[in-house]
Amino acid sequence: MYTNNIYFATKAIVFTCIFQLAYIKFFHVKINKTNIMSNLIIILLGGTTIFLENDLFIKTKPTIVYWILGLTIFFYRIALNRNIVCTSLKNKIKLPKKIWDYINKLWICFFIIMGCINIFIAFSGFFSEKEWVLFKIIGSPLVFIVFILIQLIIFKKHISYDNE
């Protein structure tokens, strides 16, 4: 299904997330905390979008999310002395602490820069609303993929496996 109505699309995704969480609860389906948190964030931000019906909020929302993620990683590192990136991935990838610290800093910078890029594309006047939407739904995910691939290429030599 395709629609140009952002509010209809938002209502659909919020309803889908609510349904999914209800299904998980009712049928006692095992799901990881990240998926539950993602659904709750979509419900919260989507609900706010529906309630406000404000283009400014819609265009600013990705920046808010990026900056909250970057600041959360920063807060965990500074205030709690925890590397949240390492905590999230250490069971899948084994790297030296020095590399995890570097990757942690990269992700903080990445999220702050992505927020700035979003604001520039949304509000600079150099891009149309359609171009901003394309950036949001195609460009941003591609940037994430490239960013992750670059990290994998750079840090591949530092990765160790349990069977080595």
Side-chain angles (χ1 to χ4, degrees):
M1 184 171 139
Y2 176 77
T3 181
N4 282 326
N5 185 329
I6 188 73
Y7 301 107
F8 178 79
T10 303
K11 288 174 188 174
I13 191 77
V14 168
F15 174 76
T16 302
C17 289
I18 291 169
F19 178 78
Q20 182 179 23
L21 289 176
Y23 181 87
I24 290 165
K25 180 74 172 162
F26 184 74
F27 291 106
H28 306 288
V29 176
K30 276 225 172 220
I31 189 167
N32 66 34
K33 290 178 185 177
T34 304
N35 288 338
I36 292 172
M37 288 302 298
S38 298
N39 278 318
L40 292 174
I41 290 169
I42 290 169
I43 292 167
L44 174 70
L45 292 174
T48 306
T49 299
I50 294 164
F51 178 75
L52 293 176
E53 285 195 23
N54 182 308
D55 288 348
L56 176 67
F57 177 72
I58 290 171
K59 289 181 177 179
T60 309
K61 190 169 41 172
T63 295
I64 293 167
V65 171
Y66 293 141
W67 288 354
I68 287 172
L69 289 169
L71 291 173
T72 299
I73 296 169
F74 180 76
F75 172 79
Y76 266 79
R77 189 71 198 130
I78 299 302
L80 303 176
N81 199 27
R82 288 184 53 205
N83 184 325
I84 198 168
V85 178
C86 175
T87 302
S88 301
L89 297 172
K90 70 181 175 188
N91 293 333
K92 297 178 184 6
I93 301 172
K94 302 215 181 303
L95 290 167
K97 182 187 179 312
K98 177 181 160 187
I99 302 299
W100 278 122
D101 289 340
Y102 188 71
I103 291 173
N104 199 63
K105 290 173 189 169
L106 285 175
W107 277 99
I108 293 168
C109 293
F110 177 77
F111 283 126
I112 301 303
I113 291 168
M114 285 297 291
C116 293
I117 291 170
N118 180 70
I119 289 203
F120 178 75
I121 292 173
F123 301 111
S124 69
F126 293 114
F127 302 93
S128 69
E129 188 171 286
K130 284 187 178 186
E131 290 169 324
W132 172 78
V133 169
L134 281 173
F135 170 73
K136 184 177 180 284
I137 63 173
I138 296 172
S140 291
L142 286 175
V143 171
F144 269 88
I145 290 167
V146 169
F147 180 67
I148 291 168
L149 288 174
I150 289 171
Q151 288 178 78
L152 287 173
I153 291 167
I154 292 173
F155 300 117
K156 185 178 184 210
K157 63 183 174 192
H158 299 285
I159 296 174
S160 62
Y161 302 95
D162 288 336
N163 58 1
E164 287 184 1

